[in-house]
Amino acid sequence: MFFASDNGGPANPEILAALTRANEGYAMGYGADAIMDEVRAQLREIFEAPLASIHLVATGTTANSLALATLTNPWETIFCSPTAHIHEDECNAPEFYTGGAKLTLAGTEDKMTPDALRAAIEGEETRGVHGPQRGPVSITQVTERGQVHSLEELNALTAVAREYGLNTHLDGARFANALAALGCTPAEMTWKAGIDAVSFGGTKNGCMGVEAVIFFDPAHAWEFELRRKRGGHLFSKHRYLSAQMQAYLADDLWTRNATSANAACARLAAGLRDLPGVSFDFEPQANIIFLHMPRATHQRLQAAGAVYYIMAGDVTSGDPDEPLPARLVCDWSVTDATIDRFIETAIG
Amino acid sequence: MFFASDNGGPANPEILAALTRANEGYAMGYGADAIMDEVRAQLREIFEAPLASIHLVATGTTANSLALATLTNPWETIFCSPTAHIHEDECNAPEFYTGGAKLTLAGTEDKMTPDALRAAIEGEETRGVHGPQRGPVSITQVTERGQVHSLEELNALTAVAREYGLNTHLDGARFANALAALGCTPAEMTWKAGIDAVSFGGTKNGCMGVEAVIFFDPAHAWEFELRRKRGGHLFSKHRYLSAQMQAYLADDLWTRNATSANAACARLAAGLRDLPGVSFDFEPQANIIFLHMPRATHQRLQAAGAVYYIMAGDVTSGDPDEPLPARLVCDWSVTDATIDRFIETAIG
Amino acid sequence: MFFASDNGGPANPEILAALTRANEGYAMGYGADAIMDEVRAQLREIFEAPLASIHLVATGTTANSLALATLTNPWETIFCSPTAHIHEDECNAPEFYTGGAKLTLAGTEDKMTPDALRAAIEGEETRGVHGPQRGPVSITQVTERGQVHSLEELNALTAVAREYGLNTHLDGARFANALAALGCTPAEMTWKAGIDAVSFGGTKNGCMGVEAVIFFDPAHAWEFELRRKRGGHLFSKHRYLSAQMQAYLADDLWTRNATSANAACARLAAGLRDLPGVSFDFEPQANIIFLHMPRATHQRLQAAGAVYYIMAGDVTSGDPDEPLPARLVCDWSVTDATIDRFIETAIG
Amino acid sequence: MFFASDNGGPANPEILAALTRANEGYAMGYGADAIMDEVRAQLREIFEAPLASIHLVATGTTANSLALATLTNPWETIFCSPTAHIHEDECNAPEFYTGGAKLTLAGTEDKMTPDALRAAIEGEETRGVHGPQRGPVSITQVTERGQVHSLEELNALTAVAREYGLNTHLDGARFANALAALGCTPAEMTWKAGIDAVSFGGTKNGCMGVEAVIFFDPAHAWEFELRRKRGGHLFSKHRYLSAQMQAYLADDLWTRNATSANAACARLAAGLRDLPGVSFDFEPQANIIFLHMPRATHQRLQAAGAVYYIMAGDVTSGDPDEPLPARLVCDWSVTDATIDRFIETAIG
């Protein structure tokens, strides 16, 4: 019963099979492998963006940092949500890669709103050279609290950015989960919605470690390539990144995985929703649940070996009815049986 | 007939098998996986260094940059050979990770000598705060020209560093090839020879993409962990790095691979050595040959589909007897048959 | 009638006279001048800190950035008020000098409170290497809104910092104004209150351009010297910085200037306080007033040539009674006559 | 008898008088002072460059670092002479301000030659993203060894840069001394010779501390302004920088000073040239002499209180005839009497 993170489960067997296939014979290094040509073609087709520049890296922090560094001058500030991964979970990687840009938090909630974004931009009055200059807007989709921006919401955010002449970046570590939730096309969730650059996640959704960075304006390509090399993120044996992404995109593996994970999360949410003392902090929309459950419920789950993050409080002692906050994440691999066992254990 | 690089060949089947084994069930991320505990134990035993701090990253540039950044202040200069990978082939990654440190080139030859190192250190008179301050010494073993420092040479270099109170780093992207060439122990080639930190390569010697960074003084561990995370180099699904390194170290795979590559290189060198018009720029000591061959020889090899780097000159036209420089690299997977075919083609 | 900033007025004649005196003959450069020895002795005596390390730079941004960079690792976050100069008015200089550290805003008000600081620190749960690590606390005294922390308030803030093992920095661009307001000793307002490093301002209080950075722990001295040189902030003809600071400290010029400026501000506040439609945003405590005045009042003042910042709104047209926010700053040189004329004009 | 540096002498009385004049009344800060308008007009006229962007900073390291950072991407390398100030005497400031660019040394002599520059550029084969990318060429005029590039030499160097599409920067810390030596116009020595950006020194030639940065392409202006602010180099009381530069340029003070210094140096060189045991390391061309003098000569000079740098060796004991290297620098203020006394002392 592992719900700690969607980086804890296994990779799809298809991914491993692809590595094995890619392991035949010799290949040119550093992105000049033939499989990467396929990946470029796949993503351009999927995104309906024949000119997009496509790059692979191994981690999500890297995808975000390099994409943002390419769009940000060091004297600028990046607008993001207060719960954005780039703000809370990357140990200052965006600040490092941009050479010292700032992050300005738009709003107090998980999901950035146009009003909060506008207020944040206006709050960063630059007053000539004195204040930080306004830089790109980074939107997280799925958010860190499991929320999905609707296409209307995305369009409204990018409209504010455009009004101020700012670029936009989508942190899509859970891109596929958002897409499955919205039932739209990749183009609709990105460039048709005004997004300039995307971190397109693979790692959390069934790969071993691969993310694509996509710029819809190919003018950014060469600078990104240099930044990736200089950051140590250009793989000599690049074919093993290519192979993962190739298999991830082939036969809809990526959307199948995300659909499974979202469905698992919905089943879990349905089973927990009406339990006494259980309340959801956010309405689950993809594969993540933030909820409160009574201490006694946590104790039963922990005793049964369930693995997940309890966000605050001492689970071992105290009022058994006191609700303690927790996060539950479903990956592609979790089974209905596991979910049902978790729910039964929670019911007690 | 692929001799372009030791990053062009396949990974060992054992590495793939290890990934498959590691892909069972759930695992904690970010280096907290159980396989990483094994890797730490393996490397501490192999290096006879029970307190060493051990960290995995995916690329050699990363291993070097993060190791050096941990040992270097931004106002210092790193002493290295003019042909060092950190100087010539990392697009300023060491400068980036150190926050703007300089590299000072010691000597004009491939292999750093104690005299050249001393002259370089003395040349960087710091004159109070004015000049760059003296930072660590980075030694490449195997060098970029295929040379191997003897233990005496290593000890002599670190003695100079120690005299000035400078730390020492070993770029061991081809650590195993050097070890196989010297026939010594890992401890003898590192801490017993005065080395403080090692980039211990796996990628070029049969892995897909994994390098260990080893500090013999564990006081550096936490800073390195923070630098790795901030650089985007901490893998969430870390077990796939651990599994590669675990398999690489198990059953002597790493030394077997290196021994094979070195033997292949020796066979290749022996076959080419006495051909008319062929001369070696450096005496091959590990798995790399720098040589000159007549244009006509190159033309025969290229026509037969041999892949390797011609370092200068136009191979397609000109005096057939004119010698053109080239680099030939053997990896673990090259067969005697391939080498013999290369030699036969060269003979014509 | 110039109330735009305390960087708009002339320097004291004593400062100019000191430059003239210092301009005799030859002097060693880069801080090795004899006048700097005097400055060190003066500041150590004034601060009752015989071991303090003392350094001069020319601007306040530099003093803050270099002091903070010396106390902060790039993967850390600096805690400061949301209105701190380092956050709002230095175009990411602290982020630049620290190599990419973050700033975490403590509270929503101008003056940092212990509760807000504690909440901010607790909010930066580091979760291992994932979040920004906790760095120093920077307190602005006088604040950007003209408020002065009492000694009790300062002690309470540093107590929180100490509880978490964090260093503390005082941005004292208006150090003398705060000291004059509190009537305490420099030691009481700094190291006796738990402060580790001080930006001790001269520029805004009658100098041309000089600030001292003081570390009470001299272990920071050498790193600061290197950072200053590397930042281009070490003056070759350093005696002209030394001479300014020497004259500023001699004969209590610094406290006389601050007392004058504070008295002028009090006179101005008293004259404006009870005017119809006038309200103070903050109770003036040093030499800065933030207030609202009716548009008509602004119009009279602007017509009479008064120079100051109107913080929002269109002064030229609209309801004459509508209050518009403004900032008024008094420097050492403003005369009672000017203040009275300003008040009379405001009265109309 | 002070010949240690041209940063050791007094400023011209005109500079002090200008500060006193500038110290009247109130002025807008941060470069918006009226005197700065004058400075812009002066420099544009002097350089025959009506569109040039003009910026003031207080130190030469700053001028060089900010100018180069504006022209250099972090993944590039700057080409300069091995004795360039930016390489030897700025404690990695260029590396810091560029965010980690490299410096590539062109040649082994003091004065960069076109052949050495071409060889250095060719040596930095970029091989795609792997090597450092080629960045600007920085030429020092007067060189650190007192040599002056002729207009032909400058044009030949910039022609090589242009051939590779590289920008060019002139480190003119001693711009006026070079101009006086060549007897040409500022335009001829800069944009007419293919120079894109100039560090135009005032500090070493009679000012207290002011340097202008001039870009002939005004497209660089805004980025420079942001970099200056972010570096802490924008003076709030900017009028005191403006006033120095205004007075420096008025009434040809700058060229008078340089002519005096060069003449003093010529007189000194003439007096020392034929002394027994004296040899010049470089033929003096501006205001700096590098020479060898017998130990006994040094001993007499030191005993008489002469101040200058002995570059190597122990002056106090050893063979009295052994020549020891030294540097002698003449500033604008040194008198004929002082020079003659130095020569007489040297003669003994």
Side-chain angles (χ1 to χ4, degrees), chain A residues 88-89 91 95 102 127, chain C residues 88-89 95 102 127 130:
Chain A
E88 292 210 314
D89 283 292
C91 196
E95 290 86 349
K102 196 186 273 291
R127 291 157 291 119
Chain C
E88 292 209 316
D89 284 291
E95 288 86 348
K102 196 185 271 290
R127 290 156 290 122
H130 296 285

Side-chain angles (χ1 to χ4, degrees), chain D:
Chain D
M1 294 197 292
F2 187 95
F3 297 92
S5 172
D6 36 11
N7 63 39
N12 286 96
E14 288 96 314
I15 300 294
L16 278 160
L19 289 179
T20 304
R21 277 198 309 279
N23 200 40
E24 290 298 311
Y26 293 89
M28 293 309 290
Y30 302 111
D33 56 290
I35 310 174
M36 185 62 200
D37 292 337
E38 268 189 79
V39 169
R40 279 190 205 94
Q42 288 171 303
L43 280 169
R44 285 170 179 161
E45 188 183 337
I46 286 169
F47 277 87
E48 308 169 44
L51 299 176
S53 79
I54 314 279
H55 316 266
L56 299 184
V57 295
T59 76
T61 294
T62 304
N64 287 337
S65 297
L66 288 177
L68 285 167
T70 303
L71 299 176
T72 312
N73 283 306
W75 41 82
E76 293 176 350
T77 189
I78 297 163
F79 296 93
C80 67
S81 147
T83 61
H85 201 268
I86 59 171
H87 174 58
E88 292 209 316
D89 283 291
E90 302 188 348
C91 195
N92 298 0
E95 288 87 348
F96 174 45
Y97 276 95
T98 57
K102 196 185 272 289
L103 272 60
T104 295
L105 307 181
T108 56
E109 295 298 318
D110 168 52
K111 201 193 271 187
M112 190 191 278
T113 63
D115 284 353
L117 175 58
R118 182 183 303 279
I121 295 174
E122 286 291 327
E124 292 295 349
E125 257 197 297
T126 57
R127 289 156 293 121
V129 298
H130 296 285
Q133 306 295 301
R134 291 159 177 166
V137 176
S138 180
I139 304 167
T140 313
Q141 174 84 318
V142 179
T143 75
E144 297 296 315
R145 298 294 176 268
Q147 303 298 289
V148 179
H149 296 274
S150 71
L151 293 186
E152 291 68 32
E153 288 172 329
L154 284 178
N155 275 286
L157 288 170
T158 62
V160 174
R162 202 158 42 244
E163 196 180 313
Y164 291 94
L166 309 181
N167 281 306
T168 54
H169 164 255
L170 193 76
D171 177 356
R174 296 186 178 93
F175 188 97
N177 302 88
L179 199 76
L182 291 180
C184 67
T185 68
E188 286 168 344
M189 205 168 84
T190 56
W191 63 268
K192 287 184 178 174
I195 297 292
D196 297 305
V198 180
S199 301
F200 178 80
T203 310
K204 289 183 190 294
N205 191 36
C207 295
M208 287 184 165
V210 67
E211 313 276 311
V213 174
I214 303 170
F215 291 99
F216 296 108
D217 178 350
H220 297 296
W222 182 238
E223 177 174 336
F224 186 91
E225 293 279 323
L226 288 161
R227 289 187 178 277
R228 180 176 62 172
K229 171 70 187 182
R230 186 174 75 118
H233 293 291
L234 176 58
F235 273 47
S236 59
K237 298 187 169 177
H238 186 278
R239 57 170 143 174
Y240 303 112
L241 289 184
S242 306
Q244 289 184 65
M245 184 54 73
Q246 193 278 338
Y248 180 64
L249 298 172
D251 301 325
D252 295 326
L253 177 58
W254 66 297
T255 49
R256 282 188 281 127
N257 276 352
T259 303
S260 296
N262 288 6
C265 180
R267 185 183 189 97
L268 182 60
L272 297 173
R273 185 181 299 275
D274 298 324
L275 298 192
V278 168
S279 64
F280 290 173
D281 302 338
F282 299 89
E283 180 57 33
Q285 298 181 338
N287 67 326
I288 306 177
I289 300 172
F290 277 81
L291 81 176
H292 279 69
M293 296 193 289
R295 180 176 278 110
T297 312
H298 285 297
Q299 288 171 339
R300 277 197 303 280
L301 286 162
Q302 302 280 314
V307 181
Y308 58 91
Y309 283 103
I310 297 176
M311 307 308 278
D314 177 4
V315 75
T316 58
S317 71
D319 176 359
D321 292 335
E322 188 192 359
L324 298 181
R327 188 187 78 162
L328 305 173
V329 188
C330 296
D331 83 337
W332 69 276
S333 72
V334 65
T335 63
D336 284 359
T338 299
I339 290 168
D340 293 346
R341 188 150 63 89
F342 188 95
I343 294 166
E344 282 155 28
T345 310
I347 292 171

Side-chain angles (χ1 to χ4, degrees), chain B residues 6 141-144 172-178 204 287-288 329:
Chain B
D6 35 12
Q141 175 83 322
V142 179
T143 76
E144 297 296 315
R174 296 185 178 94
F175 190 96
N177 301 90
K204 287 183 191 293
N287 66 325
I288 306 177
V329 189

Side-chain angles (χ1 to χ4, degrees), chain B residues 42-83:
Chain B
Q42 287 171 304
L43 280 169
R44 286 171 179 160
E45 186 182 339
I46 286 169
F47 278 87
E48 307 168 45
L51 299 178
S53 79
I54 313 281
H55 316 267
L56 299 185
V57 295
T59 76
T61 294
T62 304
N64 287 337
S65 296
L66 288 176
L68 285 167
T70 303
L71 297 177
T72 312
N73 283 307
W75 41 83
E76 294 177 348
T77 190
I78 298 164
F79 296 93
C80 66
S81 147
T83 60

Side-chain angles (χ1 to χ4, degrees), chain B residues 114-329:
Chain B
D115 284 353
L117 176 58
R118 182 184 302 279
I121 295 174
E122 286 292 327
E124 292 296 349
E125 257 198 297
T126 58
R127 291 156 291 122
V129 298
H130 296 286
Q133 308 294 301
R134 293 159 177 164
V137 176
S138 180
I139 305 167
T140 313
Q141 175 83 322
V142 179
T143 76
E144 297 296 315
R145 297 296 175 267
Q147 302 298 290
V148 179
H149 295 274
S150 71
L151 293 187
E152 291 67 31
E153 288 173 329
L154 283 179
N155 275 287
L157 288 169
T158 62
V160 175
R162 203 158 41 243
E163 197 180 315
Y164 290 93
L166 309 180
N167 281 306
T168 54
H169 164 254
L170 193 77
D171 176 356
R174 296 185 178 94
F175 190 96
N177 301 90
L179 199 76
L182 291 182
C184 66
T185 69
E188 284 169 344
M189 203 167 85
T190 57
W191 64 268
K192 288 186 177 174
I195 297 293
D196 296 307
V198 180
S199 300
F200 177 82
T203 310
K204 287 183 191 293
N205 191 36
C207 296
M208 286 185 166
V210 68
E211 312 275 312
V213 173
I214 304 169
F215 292 100
F216 296 108
D217 178 351
H220 297 297
W222 182 237
E223 177 173 337
F224 186 92
E225 293 278 322
L226 289 161
R227 289 188 177 276
R228 180 176 62 171
K229 170 70 187 182
R230 186 175 76 119
H233 294 291
L234 177 58
F235 274 46
S236 59
K237 298 187 171 177
H238 187 279
R239 57 172 143 173
Y240 303 112
L241 289 184
S242 307
Q244 289 182 67
M245 185 55 73
Q246 194 276 339
Y248 180 63
L249 298 171
D251 300 325
D252 295 325
L253 178 60
W254 66 297
T255 48
R256 283 187 282 128
N257 277 351
T259 303
S260 295
N262 289 6
C265 180
R267 184 183 190 98
L268 182 59
L272 298 172
R273 185 181 298 275
D274 297 324
L275 299 191
V278 167
S279 63
F280 288 174
D281 303 338
F282 298 88
E283 179 58 33
Q285 298 181 336
N287 66 325
I288 306 177
I289 300 172
F290 278 82
L291 81 176
H292 279 69
M293 296 193 291
R295 179 176 279 111
T297 310
H298 285 298
Q299 287 171 339
R300 276 196 306 278
L301 286 162
Q302 302 279 314
V307 181
Y308 58 91
Y309 283 103
I310 297 176
M311 309 305 280
D314 177 4
V315 74
T316 59
S317 69
D319 177 358
D321 291 334
E322 188 190 358
L324 297 181
R327 187 187 76 162
L328 306 173
V329 189

Side-chain angles (χ1 to χ4, degrees), chain C residues 39-55 191 196 213-222:
Chain C
V39 168
R40 279 192 205 92
Q42 288 171 304
L43 279 169
R44 285 170 179 161
E45 186 183 339
I46 286 169
F47 277 86
E48 307 169 45
L51 299 177
S53 79
I54 314 280
H55 317 267
W191 62 269
D196 296 306
V213 173
I214 304 169
F215 291 99
F216 296 108
D217 178 350
H220 298 296
W222 183 237

